[in-house]
Protein backbone atom coordinates (compact mmCIF):
# COMPACT_ATOMS: atom_id res chain seq x y z
CA UNK A 1 0.00 0.00 0.00
CA UNK A 2 2.69 2.24 0.97
CA UNK A 3 4.60 1.30 -2.06
CA UNK A 4 1.67 2.06 -4.29
CA UNK A 5 1.07 5.41 -2.70
CA UNK A 6 4.72 6.32 -2.95
CA UNK A 7 4.97 9.54 -4.81
CA UNK A 8 7.13 9.73 -7.82
CA UNK A 9 9.56 12.68 -7.82
CA UNK A 10 10.02 14.51 -11.08
CA UNK A 11 13.37 13.62 -12.59
CA UNK A 12 15.63 16.16 -14.36
CA UNK A 13 16.16 15.56 -18.03
CA UNK A 14 19.37 13.68 -18.79
CA UNK A 15 22.40 15.72 -19.93
CA UNK A 16 23.06 15.31 -23.68
CA UNK A 17 26.71 14.93 -24.71
CA UNK A 18 27.39 16.53 -28.15
CA UNK A 19 28.52 14.12 -30.72
CA UNK A 20 31.65 15.20 -32.62
CA UNK A 21 31.56 13.86 -36.11
CA UNK A 22 34.57 11.95 -37.16
CA UNK A 23 36.87 13.70 -39.72
CA UNK A 24 37.33 12.21 -43.07
CA UNK A 25 40.81 10.85 -43.68
CA UNK A 26 43.16 13.27 -45.45
CA UNK A 27 43.48 12.04 -49.01
CA UNK A 28 46.95 11.32 -50.17
CA UNK A 29 47.78 13.55 -53.13
CA UNK A 30 49.67 11.58 -55.72
CA UNK A 31 52.88 13.20 -56.91
CA UNK A 32 52.49 15.36 -60.01
CA UNK A 33 54.29 14.60 -63.16
CA UNK A 34 57.33 16.82 -63.85
CA UNK A 35 56.54 19.72 -66.15
CA UNK A 36 58.64 19.44 -69.29
CA UNK A 37 60.61 22.54 -70.37
CA UNK A 38 59.03 24.21 -73.39
CA UNK A 39 61.10 24.50 -76.52
CA UNK A 40 60.49 26.80 -79.51
CA UNK A 41 58.85 25.29 -82.53
CA UNK A 42 58.88 26.26 -86.17
CA UNK A 43 55.67 28.29 -85.94
CA UNK A 44 56.97 30.42 -83.13
CA UNK A 45 55.17 28.45 -80.37
CA UNK A 46 56.56 26.51 -77.45
CA UNK A 47 56.45 22.73 -77.43
CA UNK A 48 57.31 19.80 -75.08
CA UNK A 49 60.18 17.63 -76.19
CA UNK A 50 59.02 14.30 -77.63
CA UNK A 51 59.88 11.27 -75.56
CA UNK A 52 58.79 8.60 -78.06
CA UNK A 53 62.35 7.49 -78.49
CA UNK A 54 62.44 6.52 -74.81
CA UNK A 55 60.19 3.44 -74.71
CA UNK A 56 60.93 2.65 -71.10
CA UNK A 57 59.49 5.89 -69.84
CA UNK A 58 56.40 6.04 -72.04
CA UNK A 59 54.07 4.08 -69.75
CA UNK A 60 55.11 6.02 -66.67
CA UNK A 61 54.60 9.29 -68.50
CA UNK A 62 51.14 8.22 -69.62
CA UNK A 63 50.17 7.29 -66.08
CA UNK A 64 51.39 10.61 -64.68
CA UNK A 65 49.50 12.53 -67.34
CA UNK A 66 46.34 10.53 -66.62
CA UNK A 67 46.70 11.33 -62.94
CA UNK A 68 47.14 15.01 -63.72
CA UNK A 69 43.95 15.14 -65.82
CA UNK A 70 40.93 16.72 -64.28
CA UNK A 71 37.40 15.58 -64.22
CA UNK A 72 36.86 17.02 -67.68
CA UNK A 73 39.54 14.85 -69.15
CA UNK A 74 41.70 17.78 -70.34
CA UNK A 75 45.35 18.03 -69.44
CA UNK A 76 46.54 21.37 -68.04
CA UNK A 77 49.79 20.95 -69.96
CA UNK A 78 49.47 21.33 -73.69
CA UNK A 79 52.00 19.97 -76.10
CA UNK A 80 52.61 23.33 -77.91
CA UNK A 81 52.44 26.86 -76.49
CA UNK A 82 51.33 29.70 -78.76
CA UNK A 83 52.74 33.20 -78.02
CA UNK A 84 51.06 36.38 -79.13
CA UNK A 85 52.37 38.60 -81.89
CA UNK A 86 52.96 41.39 -79.38
CA UNK A 87 55.15 39.17 -77.21
CA UNK A 88 57.17 38.09 -80.22
CA UNK A 89 57.74 41.71 -81.23
CA UNK A 90 58.84 42.61 -77.70
CA UNK A 91 61.26 39.67 -77.68
CA UNK A 92 62.74 40.65 -81.02
CA UNK A 93 63.11 44.26 -79.86
CA UNK A 94 64.90 43.11 -76.73
CA UNK A 95 67.25 40.87 -78.69
CA UNK A 96 68.02 43.72 -81.10
CA UNK A 97 68.79 46.08 -78.23
CA UNK A 98 71.12 43.50 -76.68
CA UNK A 99 72.92 43.06 -80.00
CA UNK A 100 73.35 46.83 -80.35
CA UNK A 101 74.63 47.09 -76.78
CA UNK A 102 77.19 44.37 -77.36
CA UNK A 103 78.19 46.04 -80.63
CA UNK A 104 78.74 49.34 -78.84
CA UNK A 105 80.81 47.63 -76.18
CA UNK A 106 82.98 46.03 -78.83
CA UNK A 107 83.30 49.37 -80.63
CA UNK A 108 84.35 51.17 -77.47
CA UNK A 109 87.10 48.61 -76.88
CA UNK A 110 88.58 48.95 -80.38
CA UNK A 111 91.53 51.19 -81.17
CA UNK A 112 90.56 53.57 -83.99
CA UNK A 113 93.04 55.98 -85.65
CA UNK A 114 92.69 59.65 -84.71
CA UNK A 115 94.36 61.05 -87.81
CA UNK A 116 91.80 61.76 -90.53
CA UNK A 117 94.12 60.57 -93.30
CA UNK A 118 94.61 57.25 -91.48
CA UNK A 119 90.83 56.91 -91.02
CA UNK A 120 90.26 57.46 -94.73
CA UNK A 121 92.94 54.91 -95.60
CA UNK A 122 91.44 52.34 -93.23
CA UNK A 123 87.98 52.79 -94.78
CA UNK A 124 89.46 52.39 -98.23
CA UNK A 125 91.15 49.13 -97.19
CA UNK A 126 87.86 47.83 -95.85
CA UNK A 127 86.07 48.60 -99.12
CA UNK A 128 83.94 51.38 -97.68
CA UNK A 129 83.50 54.94 -99.02
CA UNK A 130 86.15 57.17 -97.51
CA UNK A 131 83.68 60.00 -96.96
CA UNK A 132 79.97 60.67 -97.16
CA UNK A 133 78.18 63.85 -98.12
CA UNK A 134 78.44 66.38 -95.30
CA UNK A 135 80.45 64.02 -93.11
CA UNK A 136 82.97 65.55 -90.73
CA UNK A 137 86.16 64.11 -89.25
CA UNK A 138 84.63 62.82 -86.02
CA UNK A 139 81.59 61.39 -87.81
CA UNK A 140 83.92 59.58 -90.22
CA UNK A 141 85.89 58.15 -87.30
CA UNK A 142 82.70 56.97 -85.57
CA UNK A 143 81.59 55.26 -88.78
CA UNK A 144 84.90 53.41 -88.95
CA UNK A 145 84.54 52.38 -85.31
CA UNK A 146 81.07 50.90 -85.88
CA UNK A 147 82.27 49.10 -89.01
CA UNK A 148 85.22 47.56 -87.17
CA UNK A 149 82.97 46.42 -84.33
CA UNK A 150 80.58 44.82 -86.79
CA UNK A 151 83.39 42.93 -88.47
CA UNK A 152 84.62 41.78 -85.09
CA UNK A 153 81.17 40.49 -84.10
CA UNK A 154 80.78 38.64 -87.38
CA UNK A 155 84.06 36.84 -86.87
CA UNK A 156 85.92 38.49 -89.75
CA UNK A 157 88.95 39.18 -87.63
CA UNK A 158 91.38 38.05 -90.29
CA UNK A 159 90.09 40.61 -92.74
CA UNK A 160 90.17 43.26 -90.04
CA UNK A 161 93.69 42.43 -88.94
CA UNK A 162 94.88 42.39 -92.54
CA UNK A 163 93.41 45.84 -93.09
CA UNK A 164 95.09 47.03 -89.88
CA UNK A 165 98.45 45.70 -90.95
CA UNK A 166 98.16 47.27 -94.40
CA UNK A 167 97.09 50.55 -92.81
CA UNK A 168 100.07 50.52 -90.45
CA UNK A 169 102.45 49.80 -93.33
CA UNK A 170 100.89 52.62 -95.32
CA UNK A 171 101.15 54.91 -92.30
CA UNK A 172 104.83 54.08 -91.88
CA UNK A 173 105.47 54.67 -95.57
CA UNK A 174 103.49 57.93 -95.45
CA UNK A 175 105.41 59.03 -92.37
CA UNK A 176 108.66 58.50 -94.24
CA UNK A 177 107.39 60.51 -97.18
CA UNK A 178 106.19 63.30 -94.87
CA UNK A 179 109.59 63.49 -93.25
CA UNK A 180 111.08 64.01 -96.68
CA UNK A 181 108.47 66.35 -98.13
CA UNK A 182 107.34 68.13 -94.93
CA UNK A 183 104.03 67.95 -93.06
CA UNK A 184 101.04 69.70 -94.57
CA UNK A 185 99.44 70.55 -91.20
CA UNK A 186 102.17 70.47 -88.55
CA UNK A 187 101.41 71.05 -84.90
CA UNK A 188 104.97 72.05 -84.09
CA UNK A 189 107.55 73.05 -86.64
CA UNK A 190 110.93 74.64 -86.51
CA UNK A 191 110.57 78.27 -87.48
CA UNK A 192 112.52 79.78 -90.32
CA UNK A 193 115.23 82.38 -89.95
CA UNK A 194 112.90 84.94 -91.53
CA UNK A 195 110.22 84.22 -88.91
CA UNK A 196 112.74 84.70 -86.10
CA UNK A 197 113.81 88.03 -87.53
CA UNK A 198 110.18 89.06 -87.93
CA UNK A 199 109.42 88.17 -84.29
CA UNK A 200 112.37 90.25 -83.11
CA UNK A 201 111.27 93.18 -85.25
CA UNK A 202 107.67 92.89 -84.04
CA UNK A 203 108.82 92.73 -80.43
CA UNK A 204 110.96 95.83 -80.79
CA UNK A 205 108.21 97.78 -82.54
CA UNK A 206 105.51 96.71 -80.08
CA UNK A 207 107.56 97.88 -77.11
CA UNK A 208 107.94 101.34 -78.64
CA UNK A 209 104.27 101.65 -79.54
CA UNK A 210 103.14 100.37 -76.13
CA UNK A 211 105.42 102.87 -74.39
CA UNK A 212 103.98 105.73 -76.42
CA UNK A 213 100.41 104.60 -75.79
CA UNK A 214 100.91 104.29 -72.04
CA UNK A 215 102.73 107.64 -71.86
CA UNK A 216 99.83 109.29 -73.62
CA UNK A 217 97.32 107.62 -71.28
CA UNK A 218 99.28 108.82 -68.21
CA UNK A 219 99.48 112.33 -69.59
CA UNK A 220 95.72 112.42 -70.13
CA UNK A 221 95.17 111.08 -66.63
CA UNK A 222 97.53 113.52 -64.89
CA UNK A 223 96.80 116.62 -66.94
CA UNK A 224 94.08 118.66 -65.19
CA UNK A 225 93.09 120.21 -68.49
CA UNK A 226 92.29 116.79 -69.95
CA UNK A 227 88.71 115.69 -69.41
CA UNK A 228 88.18 112.30 -71.02
CA UNK A 229 84.47 112.20 -70.21
CA UNK A 230 83.99 115.53 -71.94
CA UNK A 231 85.91 114.30 -74.97
CA UNK A 232 83.81 111.16 -75.14
CA UNK A 233 80.67 113.25 -74.88
CA UNK A 234 81.76 115.44 -77.77
CA UNK A 235 82.62 112.41 -79.91
CA UNK A 236 79.27 110.81 -79.18
CA UNK A 237 77.37 113.99 -79.99
CA UNK A 238 79.20 114.12 -83.30
CA UNK A 239 78.29 110.48 -83.92
CA UNK A 240 74.65 111.23 -83.12
CA UNK A 241 74.67 113.72 -85.97
CA UNK A 242 75.70 111.19 -88.61
CA UNK A 243 73.58 111.46 -91.75
CA UNK A 244 73.68 109.88 -95.17
CA UNK A 245 76.06 112.10 -97.10
CA UNK A 246 76.60 110.13 -100.31
CA UNK A 247 75.38 106.93 -101.97
CA UNK A 248 77.00 105.29 -104.96
CA UNK A 249 76.50 102.09 -106.94
CA UNK A 250 79.73 100.19 -106.31
CA UNK A 251 79.49 97.24 -108.72
CA UNK A 252 77.21 94.99 -110.71
CA UNK A 253 77.18 92.38 -107.95
CA UNK A 254 76.95 92.58 -104.12
CA UNK A 255 79.78 94.34 -102.31
CA UNK A 256 81.75 92.39 -99.71
CA UNK A 257 84.35 94.73 -98.21
CA UNK A 258 85.45 98.34 -97.75
CA UNK A 259 88.38 100.23 -96.24
CA UNK A 260 89.49 103.84 -95.83
CA UNK A 261 93.04 104.92 -96.60
CA UNK A 262 95.23 106.11 -93.71
CA UNK A 263 94.47 109.80 -94.40
CA UNK A 264 90.83 109.33 -95.39
CA UNK A 265 91.35 110.64 -98.93
CA UNK A 266 90.55 107.34 -100.64
CA UNK A 267 88.17 104.44 -100.20
CA UNK A 268 88.61 100.86 -101.44
CA UNK A 269 85.74 98.44 -102.06
CA UNK A 270 85.48 94.89 -103.39
CA UNK A 271 82.62 92.79 -104.69
CA UNK A 272 81.61 89.29 -105.66
CA UNK A 273 82.75 89.96 -109.24
CA UNK A 274 86.33 89.63 -107.96
CA UNK A 275 87.08 93.28 -108.76
CA UNK A 276 88.24 95.92 -106.27
CA UNK A 277 87.86 99.64 -106.86
CA UNK A 278 89.49 102.78 -105.48
CA UNK A 279 87.29 105.84 -104.90
CA UNK A 280 88.20 109.41 -104.07
CA UNK A 281 86.68 111.05 -101.02
CA UNK A 282 84.30 112.59 -100.20
CA UNK A 283 82.42 112.54 -103.51
CA UNK A 284 83.11 108.86 -104.31
CA UNK A 285 84.60 109.35 -107.77
CA UNK A 286 86.13 106.17 -109.14
CA UNK A 287 89.94 106.40 -109.39
CA UNK A 288 91.08 102.92 -110.45
CA UNK A 289 89.93 99.32 -110.88
CA UNK A 290 91.92 96.37 -109.52
CA UNK A 291 91.38 93.27 -111.67
CA UNK A 292 93.28 90.05 -111.10
CA UNK A 293 91.22 87.60 -109.04
CA UNK A 294 89.43 84.72 -110.73
CA UNK A 295 86.84 84.27 -107.99
CA UNK A 296 84.78 86.59 -105.82
CA UNK A 297 86.70 89.04 -103.64
CA UNK A 298 86.00 88.63 -99.93
CA UNK A 299 87.84 91.56 -98.32
CA UNK A 300 89.95 94.63 -99.03
CA UNK A 301 92.24 96.70 -96.79
CA UNK A 302 94.41 99.81 -97.13
CA UNK A 303 97.93 99.74 -95.71
CA UNK A 304 98.40 101.85 -92.52
CA UNK A 305 101.68 103.32 -93.79
CA UNK A 306 101.37 103.36 -97.60
CA UNK A 307 98.71 103.82 -100.22
CA UNK A 308 98.90 100.13 -101.02
CA UNK A 309 95.78 97.96 -101.06
CA UNK A 310 95.47 94.25 -100.21
CA UNK A 311 92.61 92.08 -101.44
CA UNK A 312 91.47 88.57 -100.49
CA UNK A 313 89.56 86.21 -102.73
CA UNK A 314 87.86 82.86 -102.92
CA UNK A 315 90.53 81.83 -105.44
CA UNK A 316 92.74 81.10 -102.36
CA UNK A 317 95.07 84.04 -102.97
CA UNK A 318 95.67 87.50 -101.57
CA UNK A 319 97.10 90.29 -103.71
CA UNK A 320 98.87 93.57 -103.01
CA UNK A 321 98.14 96.53 -105.29
CA UNK A 322 99.20 100.12 -105.68
CA UNK A 323 96.38 102.65 -105.45
CA UNK A 324 96.56 103.21 -109.21
CA UNK A 325 95.79 99.55 -109.99
CA UNK A 326 99.24 98.00 -110.45
CA UNK A 327 99.67 94.47 -109.08
CA UNK A 328 102.67 94.31 -106.72
CA UNK A 329 102.56 90.91 -105.00
CA UNK A 330 100.52 87.71 -104.97
CA UNK A 331 100.38 85.61 -101.80
CA UNK A 332 99.65 81.94 -102.49
CA UNK A 333 99.51 79.05 -100.03
CA UNK A 334 96.06 78.69 -98.55
CA UNK A 335 94.20 75.48 -99.38
CA UNK A 336 90.71 76.97 -99.30
CA UNK A 337 89.02 80.29 -99.95
CA UNK A 338 90.10 83.34 -97.97
CA UNK A 339 87.78 85.23 -95.63
CA UNK A 340 89.32 88.40 -94.12
CA UNK A 341 92.70 90.14 -94.20
CA UNK A 342 94.43 92.74 -92.04
CA UNK A 343 97.66 94.73 -92.12
CA UNK A 344 100.08 94.69 -89.21
CA UNK A 345 100.42 98.23 -87.72
CA UNK A 346 104.00 98.38 -89.01
CA UNK A 347 102.74 97.89 -92.57
CA UNK A 348 105.40 95.20 -93.12
CA UNK A 349 103.22 92.14 -92.61
CA UNK A 350 99.84 90.93 -93.80
CA UNK A 351 97.52 88.53 -91.99
CA UNK A 352 95.00 86.34 -93.83
CA UNK A 353 92.33 83.92 -92.62
CA UNK A 354 90.94 81.03 -94.61
CA UNK A 355 88.39 78.26 -94.59
CA UNK A 356 91.32 75.79 -94.43
CA UNK A 357 91.24 76.41 -90.62
CA UNK A 358 94.46 78.42 -90.61
CA UNK A 359 95.60 82.01 -90.52
CA UNK A 360 98.90 83.02 -92.08
CA UNK A 361 101.37 85.84 -91.71
CA UNK A 362 103.09 87.15 -94.86
CA UNK A 363 106.15 89.30 -95.43
CA UNK A 364 104.93 92.06 -97.73
CA UNK A 365 108.32 93.11 -99.06
CA UNK A 366 109.44 89.58 -99.97
CA UNK A 367 106.00 88.15 -100.70
CA UNK A 368 106.77 85.01 -98.64
CA UNK A 369 104.86 83.15 -95.98
CA UNK A 370 106.33 83.60 -92.49
CA UNK A 371 103.84 81.73 -90.33
CA UNK A 372 101.09 79.14 -90.79
CA UNK A 373 99.00 78.95 -87.65
CA UNK A 374 96.29 76.46 -86.73
CA UNK A 375 94.13 76.68 -83.65
CA UNK A 376 90.46 76.59 -84.60
CA UNK A 377 88.44 73.41 -85.06
CA UNK A 378 86.45 74.94 -87.90
CA UNK A 379 87.04 77.54 -90.59
CA UNK A 380 88.63 80.83 -89.57
CA UNK A 381 86.99 84.08 -90.57
CA UNK A 382 87.97 87.34 -88.83
CA UNK A 383 91.39 88.75 -87.92
CA UNK A 384 92.59 91.93 -86.20
CA UNK A 385 95.99 93.20 -85.01
CA UNK A 386 96.55 94.92 -81.68
CA UNK A 387 97.42 98.65 -82.00
CA UNK A 388 100.85 97.90 -80.49
CA UNK A 389 101.48 95.13 -83.02
CA UNK A 390 102.27 92.53 -80.36
CA UNK A 391 99.02 90.56 -80.51
CA UNK A 392 96.62 89.30 -83.13
CA UNK A 393 93.05 88.08 -82.63
CA UNK A 394 91.39 85.44 -84.79
CA UNK A 395 87.82 84.17 -84.81
CA UNK A 396 86.03 81.44 -86.68
CA UNK A 397 83.01 79.29 -87.26
CA UNK A 398 83.74 77.31 -84.07
CA UNK A 399 82.29 80.23 -82.03
CA UNK A 400 85.74 80.82 -80.55
CA UNK A 401 87.99 83.88 -80.43
CA UNK A 402 91.71 83.40 -79.85
CA UNK A 403 94.40 85.93 -79.03
CA UNK A 404 97.94 85.11 -80.18
CA UNK A 405 101.26 86.59 -79.13
CA UNK A 406 103.20 87.32 -82.31
CA UNK A 407 106.46 87.57 -80.39
CA UNK A 408 106.30 83.97 -79.15
CA UNK A 409 103.71 82.34 -81.41
CA UNK A 410 101.62 81.15 -78.47
CA UNK A 411 97.86 81.31 -78.00
CA UNK A 412 97.54 83.36 -74.81
CA UNK A 413 93.75 83.68 -74.61
CA UNK A 414 90.82 81.55 -75.68
CA UNK A 415 87.63 83.60 -75.38
CA UNK A 416 84.50 81.46 -75.19
CA UNK A 417 81.01 82.87 -74.89
CA UNK A 418 79.38 83.12 -78.29
CA UNK A 419 77.04 80.29 -79.20
CA UNK A 420 77.36 80.68 -82.96
CA UNK A 421 80.17 81.45 -85.43
CA UNK A 422 82.15 84.63 -84.77
CA UNK A 423 82.57 86.72 -87.92
CA UNK A 424 84.37 89.88 -86.81
CA UNK A 425 86.89 91.10 -84.22
CA UNK A 426 88.40 94.50 -83.51
CA UNK A 427 90.91 95.80 -80.95
CA UNK A 428 90.23 99.10 -79.23
CA UNK A 429 92.93 101.80 -79.34
CA UNK A 430 92.99 101.72 -75.53
CA UNK A 431 94.88 98.42 -75.82
CA UNK A 432 92.79 96.23 -73.50
CA UNK A 433 89.31 95.99 -75.03
CA UNK A 434 88.42 93.56 -77.81
CA UNK A 435 85.05 93.46 -79.58
CA UNK A 436 83.67 90.39 -81.34
CA UNK A 437 80.52 90.05 -83.46
CA UNK A 438 78.72 86.78 -84.04
CA UNK A 439 75.90 85.01 -85.80
CA UNK A 440 74.10 84.91 -82.45
CA UNK A 441 73.25 88.62 -83.09
CA UNK A 442 75.35 89.82 -80.15
CA UNK A 443 78.54 91.81 -79.81
CA UNK A 444 80.76 90.92 -76.86
CA UNK A 445 83.30 93.23 -75.27
CA UNK A 446 86.28 91.36 -73.80
CA UNK A 447 88.71 92.83 -71.26
CA UNK A 448 92.17 91.37 -71.90
CA UNK A 449 93.24 92.29 -68.37
CA UNK A 450 90.40 90.34 -66.77
CA UNK A 451 90.47 87.63 -69.46
CA UNK A 452 86.68 87.56 -69.71
CA UNK A 453 83.66 89.18 -71.32
CA UNK A 454 82.67 92.38 -69.53
CA UNK A 455 79.66 93.38 -71.64
CA UNK A 456 77.25 91.72 -74.04
CA UNK A 457 75.47 93.98 -76.53
CA UNK A 458 72.25 92.53 -78.01
CA UNK A 459 73.08 94.56 -81.05
CA UNK A 460 71.00 93.40 -84.03
CA UNK A 461 68.12 91.21 -85.13
CA UNK A 462 70.38 89.29 -87.52
CA UNK A 463 74.01 88.18 -87.61
CA UNK A 464 76.78 90.74 -87.15
CA UNK A 465 79.05 90.76 -90.18
CA UNK A 466 81.73 93.13 -88.89
CA UNK A 467 82.74 95.23 -85.88
CA UNK A 468 85.06 98.23 -85.87
CA UNK A 469 86.29 100.55 -83.13
CA UNK A 470 86.75 104.21 -83.97
CA UNK A 471 90.51 104.17 -84.66
CA UNK A 472 91.57 107.48 -83.11
CA UNK A 473 90.52 107.06 -79.48
CA UNK A 474 88.07 104.19 -79.52
CA UNK A 475 85.29 106.40 -78.18
CA UNK A 476 82.63 104.47 -80.09
CA UNK A 477 82.10 101.14 -81.80
CA UNK A 478 80.42 100.43 -85.15
CA UNK A 479 78.65 97.16 -85.93
CA UNK A 480 77.34 96.05 -89.34
CA UNK A 481 74.61 93.45 -89.66
CA UNK A 482 72.54 91.43 -92.06
CA UNK A 483 69.45 93.19 -90.69
CA UNK A 484 70.29 95.94 -93.25
CA UNK A 485 71.56 98.41 -90.64
CA UNK A 486 74.78 99.57 -89.04
CA UNK A 487 74.82 100.88 -85.48
CA UNK A 488 77.06 103.11 -83.40
CA UNK A 489 77.64 102.27 -79.73
CA UNK A 490 79.27 104.26 -76.94
CA UNK A 491 82.48 102.67 -75.64
CA UNK A 492 81.84 104.21 -72.21
CA UNK A 493 78.69 102.27 -71.35
CA UNK A 494 78.00 100.52 -74.71
CA UNK A 495 74.63 102.14 -75.14
CA UNK A 496 73.25 102.76 -78.64
CA UNK A 497 74.15 106.13 -80.12
CA UNK A 498 72.96 106.01 -83.72
CA UNK A 499 71.33 103.59 -86.14
CA UNK A 500 72.40 103.96 -89.75
CA UNK A 501 69.43 102.83 -91.83
CA UNK A 502 69.31 103.13 -95.58
CA UNK A 503 70.49 99.90 -97.17
CA UNK A 504 67.97 97.60 -98.79
CA UNK A 505 69.94 94.37 -98.27
CA UNK A 506 72.51 92.80 -95.96
CA UNK A 507 75.28 95.12 -94.77
CA UNK A 508 78.50 93.17 -95.25
CA UNK A 509 81.22 95.57 -94.10
CA UNK A 510 81.87 98.94 -92.47
CA UNK A 511 84.84 101.18 -91.74
CA UNK A 512 85.56 104.36 -89.80
CA UNK A 513 87.89 106.99 -91.22
CA UNK A 514 91.02 107.99 -89.28
CA UNK A 515 94.26 106.56 -87.96
CA UNK A 516 95.77 106.08 -84.54
CA UNK A 517 95.57 108.98 -82.13
CA UNK A 518 95.70 112.47 -83.75
CA UNK A 519 96.02 111.84 -87.48
CA UNK A 520 93.88 114.53 -89.18
CA UNK A 521 90.76 113.42 -91.00
CA UNK A 522 91.28 115.26 -94.24
CA UNK A 523 88.34 113.94 -96.18
CA UNK A 524 85.67 114.79 -93.64
CA UNK A 525 87.49 117.58 -91.83
CA UNK A 526 88.82 117.50 -88.30
CA UNK A 527 85.52 118.22 -86.58
CA UNK A 528 83.58 115.48 -88.38
CA UNK A 529 83.32 111.70 -88.41
CA UNK A 530 82.93 109.54 -91.49
CA UNK A 531 81.62 105.98 -91.62
CA UNK A 532 81.25 103.94 -94.78
CA UNK A 533 79.04 100.87 -95.24
CA UNK A 534 78.67 98.47 -98.18
CA UNK A 535 75.87 96.04 -98.80
CA UNK A 536 74.42 93.32 -100.96
CA UNK A 537 72.26 96.03 -102.52
CA UNK A 538 75.50 96.97 -104.41
CA UNK A 539 75.65 100.47 -102.93
CA UNK A 540 78.34 102.35 -101.02
CA UNK A 541 76.89 104.70 -98.41
CA UNK A 542 78.95 107.41 -96.76
CA UNK A 543 77.70 108.67 -93.40
CA UNK A 544 79.21 111.89 -92.07
CA UNK A 545 78.55 114.62 -89.53
CA UNK A 546 79.47 118.16 -90.61
CA UNK A 547 79.12 121.58 -89.10
CA UNK A 548 76.25 123.67 -90.36
CA UNK A 549 78.45 125.82 -92.59
CA UNK A 550 79.75 122.76 -94.38
CA UNK A 551 76.45 121.14 -95.24
CA UNK A 552 75.82 120.36 -98.85
CA UNK A 553 73.18 118.45 -100.81
CA UNK A 554 73.51 114.67 -100.74
CA UNK A 555 75.05 113.26 -103.89
CA UNK A 556 73.21 110.11 -105.05
CA UNK A 557 74.14 108.21 -108.17
Amino acid sequence: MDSEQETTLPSSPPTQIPIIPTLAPIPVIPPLAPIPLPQPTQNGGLGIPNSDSDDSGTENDDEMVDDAKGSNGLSPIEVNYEISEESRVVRERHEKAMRELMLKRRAAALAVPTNDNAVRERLRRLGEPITLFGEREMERRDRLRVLMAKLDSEGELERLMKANEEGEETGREGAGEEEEEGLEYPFYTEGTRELLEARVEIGRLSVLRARNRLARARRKRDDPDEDEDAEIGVALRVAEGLVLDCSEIGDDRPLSGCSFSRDGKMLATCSLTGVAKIWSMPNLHKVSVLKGHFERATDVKFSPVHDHVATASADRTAKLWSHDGMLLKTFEGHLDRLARIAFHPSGKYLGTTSFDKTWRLWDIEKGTELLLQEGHSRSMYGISFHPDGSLVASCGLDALTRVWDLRTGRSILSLEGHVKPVLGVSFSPNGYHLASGSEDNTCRIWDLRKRKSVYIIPAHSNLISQVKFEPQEGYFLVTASYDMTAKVWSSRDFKPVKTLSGHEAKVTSADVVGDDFNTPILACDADAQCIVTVSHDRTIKLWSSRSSNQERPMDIR
Side-chain angles (χ1 to χ4, degrees), residues 458-502:
H460 293 272
S461 60
N462 207 331
L463 66 85
I464 298 176
S465 56
Q466 196 166 37
V467 294
K468 179 72 175 180
F469 272 104
E470 180 266 312
Q472 292 188 33
E473 300 289 348
Y475 288 155
F476 61 84
L477 172 71
V478 178
T479 59
S481 172
Y482 275 18
D483 64 3
M484 301 185 292
T485 67
K487 294 185 179 181
V488 182
W489 308 84
S490 168
S491 62
R492 179 169 50 189
D493 50 13
F494 301 104
K495 292 183 178 179
V497 176
K498 182 73 173 181
T499 299
L500 308 178
S501 302

Side-chain angles (χ1 to χ4, degrees), residues 293-461:
H293 288 293
F294 301 103
E295 285 284 347
R296 61 189 182 276
T298 57
D299 199 13
V300 61
K301 284 292 185 294
F302 259 106
S303 170
V305 296
H306 303 101
D307 288 335
H308 296 164
V309 180
T311 56
S313 172
D315 63 8
R316 306 179 184 179
T317 66
K319 295 181 183 293
L320 183 69
W321 312 78
S322 64
H323 70 280
D324 56 0
M326 180 182 297
L327 179 62
L328 303 178
K329 291 285 191 307
T330 298
F331 305 98
E332 298 178 345
H334 280 290
L335 304 179
D336 207 338
R337 66 185 186 271
L338 272 64
R340 298 293 188 185
I341 57 175
F343 276 96
H344 188 267
S346 66
K348 297 180 179 180
Y349 311 105
L350 180 69
T352 58
T353 59
S354 170
F355 279 71
D356 62 7
K357 304 178 185 179
T358 68
W359 69 267
R360 307 193 186 206
L361 188 68
W362 308 84
D363 188 318
I364 292 179
E365 294 181 359
K366 299 178 181 179
T368 58
E369 177 187 303
L370 294 176
L371 176 65
L372 182 155
Q373 184 63 63
E374 297 175 320
H376 290 265
S377 60
R378 298 186 65 185
S379 302
M380 291 192 189
Y381 201 86
I383 186 171
S384 177
F385 286 96
H386 191 275
D388 297 341
S390 57
L391 308 177
V392 60
S394 64
C395 62
L397 306 189
D398 56 359
L400 188 67
T401 301
R402 284 189 180 274
V403 180
W404 309 82
D405 190 340
L406 288 173
R407 299 162 295 185
T408 62
R410 295 183 178 181
S411 173
I412 59 175
L413 282 178
S414 179
L415 305 176
E416 300 180 3
H418 287 291
V419 296
K420 288 187 178 181
V422 186
L423 304 180
V425 286
S426 177
F427 279 103
S428 171
N430 63 22
Y432 53 85
H433 277 161
L434 175 69
S436 61
S438 169
E439 280 190 13
D440 60 13
N441 307 345
T442 66
C443 176
R444 284 181 177 259
I445 308 300
W446 309 87
D447 193 322
L448 303 184
R449 303 166 300 180
K450 300 179 181 179
R451 307 170 69 93
K452 66 177 183 179
S453 174
V454 294
Y455 206 90
I456 302 175
I457 307 175
H460 293 272
S461 60

Side-chain angles (χ1 to χ4, degrees), residues 274-296:
V275 174
K277 296 180 181 180
I278 308 297
W279 309 81
S280 65
M281 291 287 292
N283 297 322
L284 293 181
H285 294 307
K286 185 164 58 178
V287 175
S288 60
V289 178
L290 314 180
K291 293 184 178 181
H293 288 293
F294 301 103
E295 285 284 347
R296 61 189 182 276

Side-chain angles (χ1 to χ4, degrees), residues 151-171:
L151 291 175
D152 187 18
S153 64
E154 293 176 355
E156 300 186 16
L157 291 177
E158 295 182 358
R159 179 186 173 195
L160 180 60
M161 294 303 296
K162 183 178 179 181
N164 291 346
E165 293 175 358
E166 292 177 352
E168 291 175 359
E169 293 176 358
T170 304

Side-chain angles (χ1 to χ4, degrees), residues 6 25 47 66 106-107 139 164 183 245 389 426 464 483:
E6 184 178 356
D66 291 340
R106 286 195 182 96
E139 296 171 347
N164 291 346
L183 291 174
D245 188 49
S426 177
I464 298 176
D483 64 3

